[in-house]
Amino acid sequence: MRKTQRFNFRDFFYKSSLTSSMKPRPVTAYLFVPFSPFAMLDPTILTIGGIVLGIAIIERILERWGVIDLVDQFAKVMRFILPVTFYSALIYFFATFMF
């Protein structure tokens, strides 16, 4: 016959364990994104984007009002400014970003 072992509930439940039953394992974590998406919240980038978006909204409003000559002038200027602005903002972002 086996000998039955009795435990007091309070001693068993509230007993602080001196040794942990689980051993910590080393965890290897890999980061697949080389930079944080919050890095795009640079005030310079947001300002440039806001200006370009504002000009596009003004162009659409002028088109609805029927001022086609002015809209045509905006379109000619923006055809040059938009690519230059985009590439300069991209170069600025990568030049000031700390890897």
Side-chain angles (χ1 to χ4, degrees), residues 59-78:
E59 185 179 353
R60 292 294 175 194
I61 290 172
L62 289 174
E63 185 180 1
R64 284 190 183 179
W65 287 352
V67 190
I68 302 300
D69 295 335
L70 194 56
V71 172
D72 189 39
Q73 294 298 323
F74 263 108
K76 287 179 184 176
V77 171
M78 292 303 286

Side-chain angles (χ1 to χ4, degrees), residues 39-40 42-50 52 81-97:
M40 293 296 287
D42 184 25
T44 306
I45 300 293
L46 290 177
T47 303
I48 293 171
V52 170
I81 290 178
L82 282 177
V84 170
T85 305
F86 171 74
Y87 287 118
S88 62
L90 193 65
I91 291 169
Y92 170 79
F93 175 71
F94 284 116
T96 60
F97 181 71

